[in-house]
Amino acid sequence: MDSGAPGAFAVIRDHGNPGLDWSPAVGKADLDCTPMNADWRFRVGSNTKMFTSVHVMRLVERGRIDLDKPLRDYLPQGTLPER
């Protein structure tokens, strides 16, 4: 917020242990000074593409995934529809 961002929130979930879920919120949501609320829903849009691609390339760099393998090899069975 010191660098000009009005506010932010994050939702962190541990699906194996829901008791560890955490939703911090800081700052203001708008110019009317409405406090930020982690229970709100926001449209993320295309912002996630950049972060996802960087993360995928880091996994490739570390040998954790292979870009030439089908996505289905890395997901639980039944996640994607059958061909």
Side-chain angles (χ1 to χ4, degrees):
M1 292 181 331
D2 291 339
S3 63
F9 77 90
V11 177
I12 303 152
R13 290 199 173 104
D14 182 341
H15 295 286
N17 189 350
L20 296 179
D21 291 355
W22 183 45
S23 299
V26 296
K28 306 298 180 193
D30 56 31
L31 296 176
D32 295 328
C33 295
T34 305
M36 186 59 76
N37 184 332
D39 291 329
W40 293 340
R41 292 188 180 258
F42 289 88
R43 185 172 178 268
V44 176
S46 294
N47 293 334
T48 58
K49 292 175 188 166
M50 173 179 56
F51 295 105
T52 301
S53 63
V54 169
H55 187 67
V56 166
M57 295 311 293
R58 292 294 307 258
L59 291 171
V60 169
E61 180 180 72
R62 294 176 181 165
R64 303 278 312 269
I65 63 173
D66 181 347
L67 292 179
D68 292 324
K69 283 189 169 182
L71 181 59
R72 155 177 338 276
D73 289 358
Y74 298 101
L75 298 174
Q77 187 174 3
T79 302
L80 296 176
E82 294 300 319
R83 296 173 177 82

